[in-house]
Amino acid sequence: MFRVLGRALLSSIFLASSSNAIKNAEHMTGPAEALGLPEPVLAVQAHGVANLVGGLMLALGIKPKLGSWILIANLIPTTLGGHRFWEEDDEAGKIGQQIHFMKNLSLLGGLVSVIAGERARQSAQ
């Protein structure tokens, strides 16, 4: 029961952000452009699709380990590329980006916990 609830809660941010990234990618390309990605709109849309697929897998318990790995692979470059608080000159901007960076680290921790829990559950069977 708690495992199902935890996966649903953890996946909520990925699912909520996925449609915005897919539908409004052209307005969200700043970080992708800053990283020099050749097709920033496509990169943002791919990010949204990965969040949607991984989030659904996690929320519905369909291969939650794989869903977690998809989200981790998507979250690491987003965190490092999109929330570069150390480059902010404005103090308020720096604090905001640092909060997002730390939130993403927390999400990574939750995803790693799902993977570890699923591995332990499979070993016990």
Side-chain angles (χ1 to χ4, degrees), residues 6-89:
R7 286 193 317 244
L9 291 171
L10 182 57
S11 67
S12 65
I13 192 165
F14 298 103
L15 294 172
S17 68
S18 66
S19 66
N20 191 37
I22 295 167
K23 292 178 186 177
N24 301 311
E26 62 279 351
H27 302 293
M28 302 173 67
T29 59
E33 290 170 351
L35 291 173
L37 297 179
E39 296 288 338
V41 172
L42 186 58
V44 172
Q45 290 171 329
H47 170 79
V49 170
N51 277 349
L52 179 63
V53 171
L56 284 172
M57 290 174 75
L58 184 60
L60 299 174
I62 301 168
K63 298 197 179 263
K65 255 180 21 177
L66 177 59
S68 293
W69 279 117
I70 291 168
L71 294 170
I72 287 170
N74 202 31
L75 192 57
I76 290 172
T78 300
T79 302
L80 295 175
H83 302 297
R84 302 168 72 89
F85 64 90
W86 55 91
E87 293 179 352
E88 287 287 333
D89 294 327

